[in-house]
Amino acid sequence: MTSQSQGIQQLLQAEKRAKDKLEEAKKRKGKRLKQAKEEATAEIDHYRLQREKEFRNKETNVMGSQGNLSAKIEEQTTEAIRNLTSSYHRNVESMMKKLLSTIFDISPEIHPNFRPA
């Protein structure tokens, strides 16, 4: 009987050791999953930062050229306004004379389609 109870004790101890090893393996697996998740998060953050940096560089290049373009357009607009203003001041008097002479120099004539009754 003692050998039987001793065998049962050995089986219980073996089962306990197996259960402990299983729990230890589960803990290691949990730790490894957590570590893998942290590594993946770090890698994703690194990739995101890299892509954001590339985006900012491209954005700076595009916006910089647009800034130069808007300054160039502003300069051209200012020059065109200056030219139109100077042209207006040069020609305003001669145009007024032509306009007034056209209005006031009337020579009455009978229309060619007029038929006296």
Side-chain angles (χ1 to χ4, degrees):
M1 200 71 140
T2 57
S3 68
Q4 242 184 355
S5 69
Q6 203 174 24
I8 292 174
Q9 286 296 331
Q10 286 178 347
L11 283 174
L12 289 173
Q13 286 175 355
E15 186 179 339
K16 187 176 184 322
R17 283 193 307 260
K19 192 183 274 187
D20 289 344
K21 283 186 178 184
L22 186 62
E23 286 179 22
E24 187 181 319
K26 283 182 181 180
K27 286 179 184 177
R28 280 194 312 243
K29 181 180 176 184
K31 284 182 183 177
R32 182 60 190 129
L33 284 173
K34 188 175 179 181
Q35 182 184 4
K37 186 175 181 179
E38 290 172 356
E39 289 173 1
T41 303
E43 190 174 330
I44 289 169
D45 289 343
H46 176 72
Y47 180 75
R48 181 182 295 125
L49 290 174
Q50 180 183 1
R51 296 299 287 178
E52 284 178 0
K53 184 178 177 183
E54 290 174 14
F55 174 74
R56 276 189 243 110
N57 286 340
K58 287 181 182 181
E59 185 179 40
T60 302
N61 291 340
V62 170
M63 295 304 276
S65 65
Q66 284 181 352
N68 294 343
L69 184 61
S70 65
K72 196 174 193 179
I73 290 172
E74 184 70 31
E75 183 180 319
Q76 289 174 349
T77 304
T78 305
E79 183 65 28
I81 291 171
R82 203 172 316 137
N83 289 340
L84 288 172
T85 305
S86 66
S87 175
Y88 167 78
H89 289 298
R90 270 196 320 266
N91 298 321
V92 68
E93 195 164 326
S94 64
M95 285 306 297
M96 282 300 218
K97 285 181 183 178
K98 284 182 183 178
L99 182 63
L100 290 174
S101 69
T102 302
I103 292 171
F104 292 124
D105 293 342
I106 299 173
S107 55
E109 298 176 358
I110 297 177
H111 196 275
N113 291 338
F114 177 72
R115 292 187 187 142

